[in-house]
Amino acid sequence: MSVSETAVNKNKMNWLPILMGWQAVITIGGVAGAGYVWTNGEMVAWLQVVVGLLFLLEAGLSGGAVWFLRQKIHRGRTLALLVNYLAFLVCFFALLQQLGFFTGLDALADTFGRGLPILLLGGFSYYVLGLQAERYAESKPGFERQIGRVQRWVMRVTIILFLLAVGIVQATLFVLTSLVGDGTALLLAGGALFFGVGFGMAWQRPVAAALGATNSDQEMISGWLFLSPNLLGFLFFFAGPLLLSLYVSFTNWDAFGTQDWVGLDNYQRILNLDVASLDNAEQLANEVLDVTVYAELTRFSIGDNHYVVGAEDKLFWLALRNTLFFVLMAVPLSVIPSLFLSNLLNSKLPGMKFFRAIYFLPSVAAVVGIALVWQWLFNATIGYINYFLSLLVDLYNMIGGNIDPELPRWLSDSSTALLAVVIVSAWQWLGFNTVLFLAGLQNIPKSLYEAATVDGATERQQFWRITLPLLAPTTFFVVTTTTIQAMQIFEQVFILIPTNPAGPNNSTLTMVLYLYQQGFQRFEQGYASAIAWVLFLMIFGATLFQFQRQRASSGNYEG
């Protein structure tokens, strides 16, 4: 069934040549823009390539729209809408940036307080009038409609007064003045207007009817239009930076100027190891390793043979070791207790809802606040952890024990610093994992437990034969998400040890922390991007391994 056929045939046919001409102009402009960008040479090399390709993409899509419109195929209208919509957004947001709109939001925050009392008073008045309207809705419907009109006027006056209070007049005059005096801003405003008119032209129903568009075509376009903010946000703020970081990982970019293509040099520097044999276990590494390239990483022995391992980037391998240790400790400590805790909270005992909320609180609390509290608790001198440990040691020694009263210096000792981070993270993640397991438990049919009880199964047998198998999907999700969190650990380390986040002897140097140091302290953005991609491959491999294990275990349960 075609879209509205009420449009005059003359109007339907006259719009197509205009739209085709419009798209032809865009096609020519796209080709010219790509040529200008590639020959101008004022941009950074990679940005020049990307912008030129975007212009060519615009020209290609617009040219395709012209071809399909000539054939009276609805796909041409879809392409025209896409090109004009995306180009309008680019011009519009570039115009806002050129005019300083986004930095001007700070000024709006400063003046917002002047208009807040007006907004609150107007909102309260609107609410009171609404209550009165409901009161007379049945007894005096005419009076109720009059109150409704007063409500609308109250809201209009409130919005106008609010805008005047926050300085909308001054802001508008500033924008107009900036627009008139800035050639780039005028060009962007003209581009936004041009592409906006093109989009409106392609959106008209006579054009859709002339191309034989159906209701499903219209619904599809409307659906994509509503999804576009989310899709564009994903492309520009996730997929785009992700691909950019992949490109940067093959360069020596320093975040400012230098950006030479170095190929796989960054990855070679990360993974480059050398193993050399030693004459004896005490032989110096610089006698067998090229110390200008490699630093001693570790030593090991196989029988009577001794070897030394050198790494071009020793800190990377230390960060990898610490990260893997953290994962092996934090994941079980936050998953296994949460499984048993969720079984306890799933019971019908009084007060369980209160305890569910208590256990979940650490998950919603700010990481900074949590880390600061634990930093105080771990204090070797005045911290409560060492205070209670000292009481236990004194009590044990009083009854005949003999324990060294020297207590651990949690955050300043290389042997306990990473363990302290593990304790904080496991405690923080415990509540969220418990809630996930609790949701999985409540989806298990109670009839299975009743049947098992009738058959004589004990609670332990029910747990191993019913609960664990049916919780397999939830367990997979919990373990996977917790593993990903653990491999990306950063905030807790950075705040717990603020003076030296890497910890004593680099004992708390993790992958993400090392990435941060390389990218934002040493400004080796290319090398930091390579580290990020190595970490991504590790996380992807771990997730894939767990997925395969989950599928295999599910098959065993089904069998």
Side-chain angles (χ1 to χ4, degrees):
M1 178 180 176
S2 297
V3 177
S4 176
E5 298 290 345
T6 59
V8 181
N9 186 60
K10 176 181 176 182
N11 290 338
K12 289 191 296 183
M13 297 307 296
N14 283 345
W15 279 111
L16 285 180
I18 299 175
L19 184 59
M20 283 189 289
W22 203 273
Q23 296 306 124
V25 171
I26 295 176
T27 303
I28 298 171
V31 175
Y36 174 78
V37 168
W38 284 340
T39 57
N40 192 13
E42 295 181 359
M43 296 183 180
V44 182
W46 68 268
L47 185 60
Q48 193 175 20
V49 173
V50 171
V51 173
L53 289 175
L54 289 176
F55 270 116
L56 282 185
L57 178 63
E58 177 194 33
L61 293 175
S62 190
V66 173
W67 190 87
F68 284 118
L69 288 172
R70 283 181 59 86
Q71 306 297 320
K72 290 187 171 57
I73 299 175
H74 185 262
R75 191 174 302 165
R77 175 174 175 257
T78 304
L79 290 176
L81 288 169
L82 176 64
V83 170
N84 284 281
Y85 178 65
L86 294 180
F88 168 78
L89 290 179
V90 170
C91 291
F92 179 72
F93 284 108
L95 175 63
L96 294 181
Q97 175 65 24
Q98 184 68 21
L99 295 175
F101 173 81
F102 299 107
T103 55
L105 291 177
D106 293 335
L108 176 62
D110 294 335
T111 60
F112 184 82
R114 297 203 300 260
L116 186 59
I118 299 174
L119 199 61
L120 293 175
L121 180 61
F124 179 74
S125 302
Y126 185 89
Y127 175 73
V128 172
L129 289 171
L131 293 179
Q132 294 299 318
E134 291 180 2
R135 179 180 177 183
Y136 295 103
E138 296 183 359
S139 60
K140 299 179 179 179
F143 186 60
E144 185 263 343
R145 287 192 294 270
Q146 291 178 0
I147 294 179
R149 284 194 290 270
V150 174
Q151 266 188 306
R152 289 189 289 272
W153 276 106
V154 166
M155 187 52 62
R156 291 167 186 163
V157 172
T158 300
I159 293 174
I160 292 172
L161 294 177
F162 171 76
L163 293 176
L164 291 174
V166 299
I168 190 65
V169 176
Q170 296 87 335
T172 304
L173 292 175
F174 175 78
V175 169
L176 293 176
T177 305
S178 302
L179 186 62
V180 172
D182 190 339
T184 303
L186 284 174
L187 182 63
L188 291 172
L193 179 62
F194 177 83
F195 291 112
V197 171
F199 180 83
M201 190 187 309
W203 184 260
Q204 292 190 74
R205 284 186 174 271
V207 175
L211 297 172
T214 62
N215 287 335
S216 60
D217 293 328
Q218 288 292 98
E219 291 173 358
M220 179 192 68
I221 292 175
S222 299
W224 282 111
L225 190 62
F226 278 110
L227 287 173
S228 62
N230 191 27
L231 292 176
L232 293 175
F234 171 79
L235 289 175
F236 284 105
F237 297 109
F238 181 79
L242 189 68
L243 295 177
L244 177 61
S245 71
L246 179 61
Y247 168 78
V248 171
S249 70
F250 296 109
T251 69
N252 62 348
W253 190 35
D254 61 359
F256 297 102
T258 304
Q259 194 178 45
D260 302 321
W261 180 269
V262 296
L264 295 174
D265 287 358
N266 289 328
Y267 294 94
Q268 181 182 356
R269 176 183 166 190
I270 291 173
L271 303 174
N272 193 13
L273 296 173
D274 186 24
V275 180
S277 60
L278 299 170
D279 295 335
N280 56 73
E282 304 299 327
Q283 186 179 3
L284 298 177
N286 58 11
E287 297 179 5
V288 294
L289 291 176
D290 183 0
V291 293
T292 61
V293 178
Y294 300 101
E296 181 180 346
L297 182 62
T298 187
R299 296 177 178 228
F300 64 94
S301 300
I302 302 178
D304 295 332
N305 299 317
H306 307 286
Y307 301 91
V308 61
V309 179
E312 186 172 353
D313 186 358
K314 179 180 178 180
L315 289 179
F316 169 81
W317 293 97
L318 291 177
L320 177 60
R321 180 200 66 184
N322 294 337
T323 301
L324 293 179
F325 176 81
F326 180 84
V327 170
L328 293 176
M329 292 291 293
V331 173
L333 285 176
S334 60
V335 172
I336 297 175
S338 63
L339 175 61
F340 293 102
L341 188 60
S342 62
N343 277 272
L344 178 62
L345 295 178
N346 196 38
S347 61
K348 300 296 184 181
L349 295 177
M352 281 303 163
K353 292 183 179 179
F354 170 76
F355 285 108
R356 292 175 188 174
I358 291 296
Y359 282 113
F360 190 69
L361 279 179
S363 301
V364 297
V367 177
V368 175
I370 289 175
L372 290 175
V373 171
W374 278 95
Q375 184 186 63
W376 176 62
L377 292 174
F378 279 127
N379 189 286
T381 305
I382 61 172
Y384 271 108
I385 293 178
N386 275 5
Y387 172 71
F388 287 116
L389 285 177
S390 65
L391 292 180
L392 291 176
V393 169
D394 293 342
L395 179 62
Y396 182 76
N397 290 338
M398 285 177 58
I399 59 177
N402 186 20
I403 298 180
D404 187 359
E406 184 178 356
L407 297 173
R409 305 183 65 84
W410 291 98
L411 299 177
S412 57
D413 189 342
S414 59
S415 61
T416 57
L418 190 57
L419 179 61
V421 179
V422 169
I423 293 172
V424 174
S425 303
W427 173 82
Q428 183 184 5
W429 299 337
L430 181 68
F432 185 73
N433 291 341
T434 299
V435 170
L436 293 177
F437 276 125
L438 186 60
L441 286 172
Q442 292 180 347
N443 286 329
I444 299 177
K446 301 298 182 184
S447 58
L448 295 177
Y449 294 103
E450 294 172 357
T453 302
V454 172
D455 290 339
T458 63
E459 291 187 359
R460 178 178 299 178
Q461 290 173 328
Q462 292 178 23
F463 177 80
W464 288 103
R465 299 298 179 87
I466 298 177
T467 304
L468 277 185
L470 294 181
L471 272 181
T474 304
T475 305
F476 165 72
F477 179 78
V478 170
V479 172
T480 300
T481 54
T482 307
T483 302
I484 293 173
Q485 277 185 305
M487 297 186 77
Q488 295 177 335
I489 187 68
F490 173 76
E491 296 97 333
Q492 291 87 341
V493 178
F494 196 78
I495 301 169
L496 276 173
I497 315 175
T499 55
N500 180 24
N505 298 323
N506 293 310
S507 58
T508 58
L509 181 66
T510 60
M511 292 281 286
V512 178
L513 179 60
Y514 185 53
L515 184 159
Y516 168 80
Q517 291 178 344
Q518 291 292 328
F520 300 99
Q521 292 181 346
R522 300 184 179 94
F523 297 105
E524 296 185 23
Q525 290 286 337
Y527 191 64
S529 298
I531 296 173
W533 277 93
V534 171
L535 178 60
F536 165 76
L537 292 176
M538 291 174 54
I539 293 174
F540 179 79
T543 304
L544 185 63
F545 172 75
Q546 292 176 14
F547 179 73
Q548 295 296 336
R549 288 289 303 271
Q550 195 267 343
R551 288 184 62 183
S553 62
S554 297
N556 293 335
Y557 287 137
E558 291 174 1

